[in-house]
Amino acid sequence: MDPFLNSGDTAWMLISTALVILMTIPGVALFYGGLIRRENVLNTIFLSFISFAIVSIIWFVYGYDLAFGADIWGFIGTLANPLFGGVIESNSLSTYAPTIPTGLYAVFQMTFAAITVALISGAVVERMKFSAWLAFIPVWITLVYIPVSHWMWGGGWLAQMGALDFAGGTVVHVNCGMAALALVLLLGARKNSQLLPHHLGYSIIGTGLLWFGWFGFNAGSALGATNLAVSAMIVTNMSAAVGMITWILMDKLETGKPTLLGALSGAIAGLAAITPAAGYVNITAAIIIGFIASICAYYAVSHLKPRLGYDDSLDVFGIHGVCGIVGTLAVGIFATPLINSAIKGGLIAGNPGQIGIQLLAVLVIGVYAFVMTLIIGKIIDMTIGLRVETKDEVQGLDINLHEESGYRLS
Amino acid sequence: MKKILAIIRPDKLEEVKEALEGIGCHGLTVKEVRGRGRQLGITESYRGHDYKVDLLPKTEIEIVTKEDDIENIIQTIITKAQTGDIGDGKIFISSVEEVIRIRTGERGEKAV
């Protein structure tokens, strides 16, 4: 029987796409915007918004084709329809999700590319030139995000090996975490590298939008209004909840008091870690993943970062990178065909080899993202320059780079 | 004539203001300021990391008054702004050479 458009699946994927858009603008933008100095609030929010705009354009000019077009040697897709020419007009259904339009699958994937770039910005806020960020986005999307998403999701070599990443543990979180680490090593520490949030209220709203939008991110990755989407939604919520509680417990044990930013961070840690596993694991596994990811992220941001001395401003590596790694490896342990019949499962389901494949995916994508970002960043540094003038950094970026200020209350 | 400059906890402003009104001291200027005393601020914890916050938000009240009223005003501020904990603030008294009311041009104590 020929595939046909399913209006239920299409409706759910339209909603999921909108939910993921909400995660970047304004979710990430507000989450990050609340955590920095008040003099940089507009610049920080701007980095997310401009990422979304630029990626939106690139994705439909050539990005989708290169990521999801017919595979060339496992490395990249074929650029068959630049400017998405003829695809929408043909009313075709997606080869990746045969009950929804190709265009819908493409725009859903666009939102993943956009949020990955926006997430990186959290590491470089308060000191990166806006012009350098504008240059970074298209180059990084083209040379890093597009190939990596092809390897994992577009039928590339990692997908052919059987590597599993349900909604972006490697493509989104390991990818952005390692890119963030590379950029901060090039940029160096801020003059004032204290994390003293100027407006936690923004971050609370931002995290709420992220948690809410994550249901589109993970349950949407089922690519239809199916039982799998329901399962993914439940484990996503469970992992976030456990991640939050775990971070609060860590706070209590280590510093004596629960903090709200800690609770938000734990929720995001749980969400990031369950992302690669959302469509493959049951609730018990989600509880374990949220618990372990939150502890790992806590140690990464509160012990590893100060010890190594790098200034990952808003802990993109510490939370997204680390939890992406935890979740991707967890797939190799907890994935089960009882949840998703399309896979063989992981260690517990009697397929220990899956751990090795997951580890390979983490290593390859992590190293590739790190090295390529170092090269891209270095070239931008030598041409445009990565870092703002010291004077601009001390006074704040809003007034010096954009000639506007976030607060004029009197 | 004297100037009273009192640095108090921001949450004590309303009480102090009302009490001053009660003793007939109406004119005052209030500023939001930041500062620190001997205790050098407080510690805040974000993502498992402790940060020293050197400068804390405080409220500064400025009152220019006749010398006879000084003690009464000082005692009122102390009574209302005191918690007994570190960070209650300080009061500074200084002399004022001249006061001029812009509306009428009056000078000296008449203009206070």
mmCIF file of all heavy atoms in Angstrom, chain A residues 88-127:
data_model
loop_
_atom_site.group_PDB
_atom_site.id
_atom_site.type_symbol
_atom_site.label_atom_id
_atom_site.label_comp_id
_atom_site.label_asym_id
_atom_site.label_seq_id
_atom_site.Cartn_x
_atom_site.Cartn_y
_atom_site.Cartn_z
ATOM 1 N N ILE A 88 8.075 21.359 -1.761
ATOM 2 C CA ILE A 88 6.764 21.687 -1.202
ATOM 3 C C ILE A 88 5.689 21.553 -2.287
ATOM 4 O O ILE A 88 4.602 21.019 -2.054
ATOM 5 C CB ILE A 88 6.762 23.110 -0.600
ATOM 6 C CG1 ILE A 88 7.753 23.187 0.571
ATOM 7 C CG2 ILE A 88 5.369 23.492 -0.106
ATOM 8 C CD1 ILE A 88 7.927 24.557 1.157
ATOM 9 N N GLU A 89 6.058 22.008 -3.500
ATOM 10 C CA GLU A 89 5.102 21.979 -4.601
ATOM 11 C C GLU A 89 4.633 20.551 -4.916
ATOM 12 O O GLU A 89 3.509 20.322 -5.342
ATOM 13 C CB GLU A 89 5.730 22.591 -5.870
ATOM 14 C CG GLU A 89 6.020 24.082 -5.786
ATOM 15 C CD GLU A 89 7.403 24.395 -5.222
ATOM 16 O OE1 GLU A 89 7.923 23.611 -4.401
ATOM 17 O OE2 GLU A 89 7.961 25.443 -5.593
ATOM 18 N N SER A 90 5.524 19.595 -4.690
ATOM 19 C CA SER A 90 5.191 18.219 -5.081
ATOM 20 C C SER A 90 4.292 17.515 -4.065
ATOM 21 O O SER A 90 3.822 16.405 -4.310
ATOM 22 C CB SER A 90 6.482 17.410 -5.246
ATOM 23 O OG SER A 90 7.070 17.212 -3.968
ATOM 24 N N ASN A 91 4.070 18.154 -2.914
ATOM 25 C CA ASN A 91 3.246 17.542 -1.859
ATOM 26 C C ASN A 91 3.724 16.155 -1.465
ATOM 27 O O ASN A 91 2.932 15.289 -1.108
ATOM 28 C CB ASN A 91 1.777 17.440 -2.294
ATOM 29 C CG ASN A 91 1.145 18.806 -2.437
ATOM 30 O OD1 ASN A 91 1.429 19.697 -1.641
ATOM 31 N ND2 ASN A 91 0.318 18.967 -3.455
ATOM 32 N N SER A 92 5.043 15.943 -1.533
ATOM 33 C CA SER A 92 5.549 14.593 -1.242
ATOM 34 C C SER A 92 5.517 14.302 0.249
ATOM 35 O O SER A 92 5.500 15.206 1.080
ATOM 36 C CB SER A 92 6.984 14.468 -1.759
ATOM 37 O OG SER A 92 7.815 15.334 -1.023
ATOM 38 N N LEU A 93 5.517 13.007 0.569
ATOM 39 C CA LEU A 93 5.590 12.588 1.962
ATOM 40 C C LEU A 93 7.045 12.250 2.299
ATOM 41 O O LEU A 93 7.814 11.839 1.430
ATOM 42 C CB LEU A 93 4.690 11.378 2.203
ATOM 43 C CG LEU A 93 3.198 11.660 1.992
ATOM 44 C CD1 LEU A 93 2.400 10.371 2.064
ATOM 45 C CD2 LEU A 93 2.686 12.662 3.013
ATOM 46 N N SER A 94 7.393 12.417 3.556
ATOM 47 C CA SER A 94 8.786 12.254 3.963
ATOM 48 C C SER A 94 9.217 10.795 3.910
ATOM 49 O O SER A 94 8.474 9.899 4.312
ATOM 50 C CB SER A 94 8.964 12.782 5.383
ATOM 51 O OG SER A 94 10.228 12.425 5.877
ATOM 52 N N THR A 95 10.428 10.563 3.418
ATOM 53 C CA THR A 95 10.948 9.192 3.440
ATOM 54 C C THR A 95 11.308 8.779 4.867
ATOM 55 O O THR A 95 11.408 7.588 5.163
ATOM 56 C CB THR A 95 12.210 9.061 2.557
ATOM 57 O OG1 THR A 95 13.110 10.108 2.927
ATOM 58 C CG2 THR A 95 11.869 9.172 1.098
ATOM 59 N N TYR A 96 11.526 9.764 5.728
ATOM 60 C CA TYR A 96 11.886 9.461 7.123
ATOM 61 C C TYR A 96 10.651 9.255 7.996
ATOM 62 O O TYR A 96 10.727 8.659 9.058
ATOM 63 C CB TYR A 96 12.741 10.596 7.711
ATOM 64 C CG TYR A 96 14.069 10.722 7.021
ATOM 65 C CD1 TYR A 96 14.218 11.568 5.915
ATOM 66 C CD2 TYR A 96 15.164 9.983 7.444
ATOM 67 C CE1 TYR A 96 15.433 11.673 5.266
ATOM 68 C CE2 TYR A 96 16.382 10.084 6.794
ATOM 69 C CZ TYR A 96 16.507 10.938 5.706
ATOM 70 O OH TYR A 96 17.715 11.027 5.066
ATOM 71 N N ALA A 97 9.542 9.850 7.578
ATOM 72 C CA ALA A 97 8.302 9.736 8.343
ATOM 73 C C ALA A 97 7.165 9.712 7.334
ATOM 74 O O ALA A 97 6.626 10.743 6.963
ATOM 75 C CB ALA A 97 8.156 10.938 9.279
ATOM 76 N N PRO A 98 6.836 8.503 6.842
ATOM 77 C CA PRO A 98 5.992 8.384 5.638
ATOM 78 C C PRO A 98 4.539 8.819 5.773
ATOM 79 O O PRO A 98 3.799 8.744 4.805
ATOM 80 C CB PRO A 98 6.078 6.888 5.296
ATOM 81 C CG PRO A 98 6.751 6.223 6.422
ATOM 82 C CD PRO A 98 7.330 7.228 7.330
ATOM 83 N N THR A 99 4.152 9.286 6.955
ATOM 84 C CA THR A 99 2.757 9.742 7.080
ATOM 85 C C THR A 99 2.640 11.257 7.178
ATOM 86 O O THR A 99 1.558 11.786 7.380
ATOM 87 C CB THR A 99 2.084 9.112 8.322
ATOM 88 O OG1 THR A 99 2.851 9.475 9.473
ATOM 89 C CG2 THR A 99 2.013 7.604 8.209
ATOM 90 N N ILE A 100 3.783 11.951 7.076
ATOM 91 C CA ILE A 100 3.739 13.421 7.140
ATOM 92 C C ILE A 100 4.467 14.008 5.930
ATOM 93 O O ILE A 100 5.321 13.342 5.328
ATOM 94 C CB ILE A 100 4.373 13.954 8.446
ATOM 95 C CG1 ILE A 100 5.883 13.674 8.493
ATOM 96 C CG2 ILE A 100 3.680 13.363 9.677
ATOM 97 C CD1 ILE A 100 6.615 14.392 9.619
ATOM 98 N N PRO A 101 4.161 15.263 5.571
ATOM 99 C CA PRO A 101 4.820 15.864 4.407
ATOM 100 C C PRO A 101 6.330 16.019 4.601
ATOM 101 O O PRO A 101 6.803 16.217 5.726
ATOM 102 C CB PRO A 101 4.164 17.246 4.305
ATOM 103 C CG PRO A 101 2.884 17.135 5.062
ATOM 104 C CD PRO A 101 3.125 16.139 6.145
ATOM 105 N N THR A 102 7.067 15.961 3.486
ATOM 106 C CA THR A 102 8.521 16.172 3.538
ATOM 107 C C THR A 102 8.851 17.526 4.156
ATOM 108 O O THR A 102 9.775 17.663 4.953
ATOM 109 C CB THR A 102 9.117 16.103 2.110
ATOM 110 O OG1 THR A 102 8.736 14.860 1.531
ATOM 111 C CG2 THR A 102 10.620 16.228 2.128
ATOM 112 N N GLY A 103 8.079 18.531 3.764
ATOM 113 C CA GLY A 103 8.342 19.876 4.272
ATOM 114 C C GLY A 103 8.218 19.944 5.789
ATOM 115 O O GLY A 103 8.988 20.629 6.469
ATOM 116 N N LEU A 104 7.245 19.226 6.319
ATOM 117 C CA LEU A 104 7.045 19.241 7.774
ATOM 118 C C LEU A 104 8.216 18.573 8.473
ATOM 119 O O LEU A 104 8.716 19.070 9.494
ATOM 120 C CB LEU A 104 5.730 18.535 8.128
ATOM 121 C CG LEU A 104 5.378 18.438 9.611
ATOM 122 C CD1 LEU A 104 5.437 19.785 10.303
ATOM 123 C CD2 LEU A 104 3.987 17.821 9.785
ATOM 124 N N TYR A 105 8.696 17.452 7.919
ATOM 125 C CA TYR A 105 9.863 16.800 8.519
ATOM 126 C C TYR A 105 11.060 17.741 8.462
ATOM 127 O O TYR A 105 11.826 17.854 9.430
ATOM 128 C CB TYR A 105 10.177 15.492 7.783
ATOM 129 C CG TYR A 105 11.345 14.758 8.389
ATOM 130 C CD1 TYR A 105 11.193 14.071 9.586
ATOM 131 C CD2 TYR A 105 12.605 14.784 7.785
ATOM 132 C CE1 TYR A 105 12.267 13.414 10.174
ATOM 133 C CE2 TYR A 105 13.684 14.137 8.364
ATOM 134 C CZ TYR A 105 13.512 13.455 9.555
ATOM 135 O OH TYR A 105 14.582 12.820 10.139
ATOM 136 N N ALA A 106 11.182 18.444 7.352
ATOM 137 C CA ALA A 106 12.329 19.345 7.178
ATOM 138 C C ALA A 106 12.273 20.504 8.175
ATOM 139 O O ALA A 106 13.285 20.877 8.777
ATOM 140 C CB ALA A 106 12.365 19.881 5.744
ATOM 141 N N VAL A 107 11.096 21.068 8.377
ATOM 142 C CA VAL A 107 11.006 22.226 9.275
ATOM 143 C C VAL A 107 11.141 21.766 10.728
ATOM 144 O O VAL A 107 11.705 22.474 11.577
ATOM 145 C CB VAL A 107 9.721 23.059 9.027
ATOM 146 C CG1 VAL A 107 8.468 22.366 9.522
ATOM 147 C CG2 VAL A 107 9.841 24.436 9.676
ATOM 148 N N PHE A 108 10.677 20.555 11.024
ATOM 149 C CA PHE A 108 10.890 19.992 12.362
ATOM 150 C C PHE A 108 12.400 19.867 12.624
ATOM 151 O O PHE A 108 12.901 20.292 13.669
ATOM 152 C CB PHE A 108 10.207 18.621 12.450
ATOM 153 C CG PHE A 108 10.317 17.941 13.791
ATOM 154 C CD1 PHE A 108 9.764 18.501 14.933
ATOM 155 C CD2 PHE A 108 10.973 16.713 13.910
ATOM 156 C CE1 PHE A 108 9.865 17.860 16.175
ATOM 157 C CE2 PHE A 108 11.067 16.066 15.146
ATOM 158 C CZ PHE A 108 10.514 16.645 16.275
ATOM 159 N N GLN A 109 13.116 19.338 11.656
ATOM 160 C CA GLN A 109 14.570 19.191 11.810
ATOM 161 C C GLN A 109 15.270 20.547 11.887
ATOM 162 O O GLN A 109 16.291 20.688 12.558
ATOM 163 C CB GLN A 109 15.147 18.366 10.655
ATOM 164 C CG GLN A 109 14.807 16.895 10.730
ATOM 165 C CD GLN A 109 15.394 16.218 11.967
ATOM 166 O OE1 GLN A 109 16.354 16.702 12.563
ATOM 167 N NE2 GLN A 109 14.810 15.102 12.382
ATOM 168 N N MET A 110 14.714 21.535 11.195
ATOM 169 C CA MET A 110 15.293 22.887 11.244
ATOM 170 C C MET A 110 15.341 23.410 12.679
ATOM 171 O O MET A 110 16.315 24.027 13.106
ATOM 172 C CB MET A 110 14.446 23.827 10.390
ATOM 173 C CG MET A 110 14.907 25.272 10.395
ATOM 174 S SD MET A 110 13.592 26.362 9.808
ATOM 175 C CE MET A 110 12.747 26.699 11.352
ATOM 176 N N THR A 111 14.287 23.107 13.434
ATOM 177 C CA THR A 111 14.233 23.626 14.801
ATOM 178 C C THR A 111 15.333 23.003 15.663
ATOM 179 O O THR A 111 15.825 23.636 16.596
ATOM 180 C CB THR A 111 12.865 23.341 15.450
ATOM 181 O OG1 THR A 111 12.649 21.929 15.541
ATOM 182 C CG2 THR A 111 11.734 23.966 14.668
ATOM 183 N N PHE A 112 15.738 21.784 15.349
ATOM 184 C CA PHE A 112 16.821 21.137 16.100
ATOM 185 C C PHE A 112 18.153 21.813 15.788
ATOM 186 O O PHE A 112 18.975 22.041 16.675
ATOM 187 C CB PHE A 112 16.899 19.639 15.749
ATOM 188 C CG PHE A 112 15.828 18.821 16.410
ATOM 189 C CD1 PHE A 112 14.501 18.996 16.070
ATOM 190 C CD2 PHE A 112 16.144 17.897 17.382
ATOM 191 C CE1 PHE A 112 13.495 18.255 16.692
ATOM 192 C CE2 PHE A 112 15.155 17.160 18.016
ATOM 193 C CZ PHE A 112 13.827 17.331 17.663
ATOM 194 N N ALA A 113 18.360 22.104 14.511
ATOM 195 C CA ALA A 113 19.601 22.772 14.123
ATOM 196 C C ALA A 113 19.700 24.136 14.811
ATOM 197 O O ALA A 113 20.751 24.521 15.326
ATOM 198 C CB ALA A 113 19.642 22.937 12.602
ATOM 199 N N ALA A 114 18.559 24.834 14.848
ATOM 200 C CA ALA A 114 18.566 26.187 15.418
ATOM 201 C C ALA A 114 18.868 26.163 16.909
ATOM 202 O O ALA A 114 19.677 26.956 17.407
ATOM 203 C CB ALA A 114 17.222 26.866 15.154
ATOM 204 N N ILE A 115 18.234 25.247 17.625
ATOM 205 C CA ILE A 115 18.434 25.261 19.082
ATOM 206 C C ILE A 115 19.858 24.818 19.415
ATOM 207 O O ILE A 115 20.446 25.290 20.394
ATOM 208 C CB ILE A 115 17.396 24.396 19.829
ATOM 209 C CG1 ILE A 115 17.430 24.749 21.329
ATOM 210 C CG2 ILE A 115 17.615 22.908 19.636
ATOM 211 C CD1 ILE A 115 16.307 24.183 22.138
ATOM 212 N N THR A 116 20.444 23.954 18.600
ATOM 213 C CA THR A 116 21.816 23.510 18.883
ATOM 214 C C THR A 116 22.774 24.700 18.863
ATOM 215 O O THR A 116 23.621 24.854 19.746
ATOM 216 C CB THR A 116 22.256 22.451 17.856
ATOM 217 O OG1 THR A 116 21.279 21.417 17.838
ATOM 218 C CG2 THR A 116 23.608 21.857 18.214
ATOM 219 N N VAL A 117 22.614 25.560 17.848
ATOM 220 C CA VAL A 117 23.478 26.750 17.774
ATOM 221 C C VAL A 117 23.188 27.695 18.935
ATOM 222 O O VAL A 117 24.103 28.210 19.584
ATOM 223 C CB VAL A 117 23.274 27.479 16.431
ATOM 224 C CG1 VAL A 117 24.150 28.710 16.369
ATOM 225 C CG2 VAL A 117 23.584 26.554 15.276
ATOM 226 N N ALA A 118 21.903 27.908 19.203
ATOM 227 C CA ALA A 118 21.543 28.843 20.285
ATOM 228 C C ALA A 118 22.115 28.359 21.613
ATOM 229 O O ALA A 118 22.569 29.168 22.427
ATOM 230 C CB ALA A 118 20.028 28.981 20.377
ATOM 231 N N LEU A 119 22.115 27.054 21.827
ATOM 232 C CA LEU A 119 22.657 26.520 23.078
ATOM 233 C C LEU A 119 24.139 26.852 23.233
ATOM 234 O O LEU A 119 24.599 27.173 24.319
ATOM 235 C CB LEU A 119 22.449 24.995 23.148
ATOM 236 C CG LEU A 119 21.023 24.533 23.463
ATOM 237 C CD1 LEU A 119 20.898 23.019 23.277
ATOM 238 C CD2 LEU A 119 20.614 24.917 24.876
ATOM 239 N N ILE A 120 24.880 26.783 22.125
ATOM 240 C CA ILE A 120 26.322 27.082 22.198
ATOM 241 C C ILE A 120 26.549 28.486 22.748
ATOM 242 O O ILE A 120 27.497 28.731 23.500
ATOM 243 C CB ILE A 120 26.984 26.966 20.797
ATOM 244 C CG1 ILE A 120 26.861 25.545 20.249
ATOM 245 C CG2 ILE A 120 28.454 27.376 20.863
ATOM 246 C CD1 ILE A 120 27.308 25.423 18.799
ATOM 247 N N SER A 121 25.654 29.403 22.398
ATOM 248 C CA SER A 121 25.877 30.802 22.763
ATOM 249 C C SER A 121 26.025 30.990 24.268
ATOM 250 O O SER A 121 26.689 31.914 24.722
ATOM 251 C CB SER A 121 24.757 31.691 22.215
ATOM 252 O OG SER A 121 23.555 31.484 22.947
ATOM 253 N N GLY A 122 25.433 30.085 25.051
ATOM 254 C CA GLY A 122 25.523 30.224 26.505
ATOM 255 C C GLY A 122 26.948 30.179 27.027
ATOM 256 O O GLY A 122 27.242 30.691 28.107
ATOM 257 N N ALA A 123 27.833 29.573 26.259
ATOM 258 C CA ALA A 123 29.214 29.455 26.716
ATOM 259 C C ALA A 123 30.014 30.728 26.453
ATOM 260 O O ALA A 123 31.001 31.000 27.123
ATOM 261 C CB ALA A 123 29.888 28.272 26.023
ATOM 262 N N VAL A 124 29.584 31.496 25.464
ATOM 263 C CA VAL A 124 30.423 32.611 24.992
ATOM 264 C C VAL A 124 29.853 33.975 25.336
ATOM 265 O O VAL A 124 30.429 35.000 24.990
ATOM 266 C CB VAL A 124 30.634 32.520 23.462
ATOM 267 C CG1 VAL A 124 31.228 31.173 23.092
ATOM 268 C CG2 VAL A 124 29.330 32.746 22.696
ATOM 269 N N VAL A 125 28.711 33.999 26.019
ATOM 270 C CA VAL A 125 28.061 35.276 26.321
ATOM 271 C C VAL A 125 28.980 36.186 27.127
ATOM 272 O O VAL A 125 29.906 35.729 27.773
ATOM 273 C CB VAL A 125 26.736 35.070 27.111
ATOM 274 C CG1 VAL A 125 25.680 34.462 26.234
ATOM 275 C CG2 VAL A 125 26.983 34.222 28.344
ATOM 276 N N GLU A 126 28.699 37.444 27.052
ATOM 277 C CA GLU A 126 29.358 38.509 27.818
ATOM 278 C C GLU A 126 30.743 38.872 27.299
ATOM 279 O O GLU A 126 31.431 39.687 27.908
ATOM 280 C CB GLU A 126 29.439 38.178 29.321
ATOM 281 C CG GLU A 126 28.083 37.893 29.933
ATOM 282 C CD GLU A 126 28.055 38.029 31.441
ATOM 283 O OE1 GLU A 126 28.718 37.245 32.138
ATOM 284 O OE2 GLU A 126 27.349 38.930 31.932
ATOM 285 N N ARG A 127 31.185 38.242 26.181
ATOM 286 C CA ARG A 127 32.510 38.624 25.687
ATOM 287 C C ARG A 127 32.739 38.390 24.212
ATOM 288 O O ARG A 127 33.765 38.783 23.674
ATOM 289 C CB ARG A 127 33.609 37.904 26.442
ATOM 290 C CG ARG A 127 33.610 36.373 26.263
ATOM 291 C CD ARG A 127 34.060 35.794 27.527
ATOM 292 N NE ARG A 127 34.434 34.404 27.557
ATOM 293 C CZ ARG A 127 33.554 33.425 27.804
ATOM 294 N NH1 ARG A 127 32.261 33.679 27.856
ATOM 295 N NH2 ARG A 127 33.982 32.198 27.954
#
